[in-house]
Amino acid sequence: MTLRYVGVCKSFGARHVLRDVSLEVRAGECFFVIGASGVGKSVLARMAVGFVRPDAGQVWVDGDEVTAMDERALRRVRRRCAMVFQASTLFDSMSCLDNVALPLRIHGRLSLREARARARDVLASIGIEELADAWPAEIGDGSRKRVAIARALTLEPTHLLLDEPTTSLDPISARRLDRFVRALCDERRLTVLVVSHDRTSVATVADRVAMLYRGRVHALGTPAELFASSDGIVRQFLEGRAEGPMELDT
C-alpha cells in the first residue's frame, strides 16, 4: 500500500512550486513532508487524490497511476486514500456523529440509523465516542481535528493524508493529536502522509521525513537523521530561523 511520486513538477503561472520531486511513502509508515510555507507541501498531498494535477511526472497509489485517471476513477482512489484538510471542514449544522456518518450515507448508501451506528463505532474505536452528540462549535480545535479524522476513517481507507493537523492548536492539544496520529499508524497500519511544519510532531510521530526546499527534496531520512544534520538549510528550518536562504525563489 504505497504512495509514490515520480519526477513531479508543478507551476502556478510563473511560480515554480515543485521541481522534479520523487518520493515513496512505504506501506504502513507515517511519513512527514516539511518545509517553509509556500514550498509545495500541501500541493504534493493534494496530488495523491487528484485535487491538483502535476504539469509533469506521475503519482501512483498502490500501483495505480492517479495522474492518468478521470474524475470517476479518482472517486474510487479517494475512498482508499482519504484526505483531512487543515481546516477541519465539519458542518456546524450537524452533530459530530452526523458529520462522521455523512460519508457512509453518501458513498456507503446506508440509512441514517445504520450510518449513525457505524459512525458511533468508529468514534469509539479511536477513543472519542464522548464527542458523538456534541456540535462542532461546542468543542475545541483539537477535538474537531480528531472528529474530522474519524470521518475520513469511516470508509476504511488504506491511506490517510493530513494537511497541517496541528496548526492553530495549543501545545497540549497538538501533542494529544500527535499521539492520536501515531496510534493510528501503529494500531491500524495505515499509510499516513502528514504535511507539517511542527518540529515536535516531526520528532515524535514520523517514521521518515522529506524536507522540501525551493521545490525539490532537499533532505530525506529519519527524524533522528534530520535533527543530527549539519546541513545549513535543514538546521535553519529546525531551529525556526527565518532569515536568509529559506526564502523561496519563484
Side-chain angles (χ1 to χ4, degrees):
M1 303 297 181
T2 60
L3 175 60
R4 187 160 56 99
Y5 299 85
V6 181
V8 169
C9 301
K10 184 65 181 178
S11 297
F12 295 97
R15 183 182 176 197
H16 303 293
V17 177
L18 297 174
R19 313 181 193 219
D20 195 26
V21 171
S22 294
L23 287 171
E24 182 170 354
V25 182
R26 299 166 185 161
E29 79 172 336
C30 190
F31 189 97
F32 271 56
V33 179
I34 64 173
S37 297
V39 77
K41 305 184 300 295
S42 296
V43 171
L44 203 64
R46 289 167 185 252
M47 283 180 176
V49 286
F51 291 144
V52 176
R53 300 277 190 169
D55 299 327
Q58 301 169 332
V59 182
W60 299 77
V61 176
D62 298 340
D64 296 325
E65 187 187 348
V66 176
T67 40
M69 292 181 178
D70 60 19
E71 190 62 28
R72 183 175 181 179
L74 283 171
R75 285 197 292 270
R76 293 193 294 271
V77 170
R78 291 166 189 161
R79 291 193 63 160
R80 54 193 167 98
C81 192
M83 184 163 188
V84 179
F85 296 95
Q86 182 175 335
S88 300
T89 61
L90 299 179
F91 293 99
D92 289 335
S93 60
M94 303 169 66
S95 69
C96 291
L97 180 67
D98 284 340
N99 267 281
V100 175
L102 189 60
L104 294 167
R105 299 196 66 197
I106 295 174
H107 302 291
R109 298 183 180 180
L110 301 183
S111 69
L112 178 59
R113 176 177 292 183
E114 291 170 329
R116 282 176 170 170
R118 177 83 170 273
R120 197 175 290 276
D121 288 343
V122 172
L123 289 168
S125 73
I126 56 178
I128 56 172
E129 186 179 14
E130 73 278 3
L131 298 176
D133 298 320
W135 297 84
E138 297 176 334
I139 61 178
D141 288 343
S143 293
R144 283 197 293 272
K145 297 268 188 177
R146 289 186 289 163
V147 171
I149 292 172
R151 182 174 61 187
L153 295 176
T154 55
L155 298 178
E156 301 182 344
T158 54
H159 300 69
L160 186 62
L161 312 174
L162 302 177
D163 189 2
E164 300 282 8
T166 60
T167 294
S168 81
L169 300 186
D170 64 82
I172 293 174
S173 297
R175 303 296 70 87
R176 183 181 293 123
L177 190 66
D178 284 344
R179 293 191 294 273
F180 181 73
V181 171
R182 187 66 250 179
L184 290 178
C185 294
D186 294 339
E187 296 169 12
R188 291 177 175 254
R189 302 308 301 163
L190 288 170
T191 301
V192 181
L193 173 67
V194 183
V195 169
S196 182
H197 62 267
D198 187 326
R199 294 179 294 277
T200 302
S201 296
V202 172
T204 59
V205 181
D207 292 311
R208 289 191 303 141
V209 188
M211 180 179 173
L212 299 184
Y213 175 64
R214 294 186 172 177
R216 295 184 171 89
V217 178
H218 183 79
L220 175 65
T222 65
E225 289 168 340
L226 257 69
F227 279 90
S229 174
S230 59
D231 181 277
I233 300 299
V234 174
R235 295 254 46 90
Q236 183 178 330
F237 177 81
L238 294 177
E239 293 166 9
R241 293 184 281 117
E243 74 280 0
M246 284 300 288
E247 296 177 6
L248 303 179
D249 74 0
T250 56

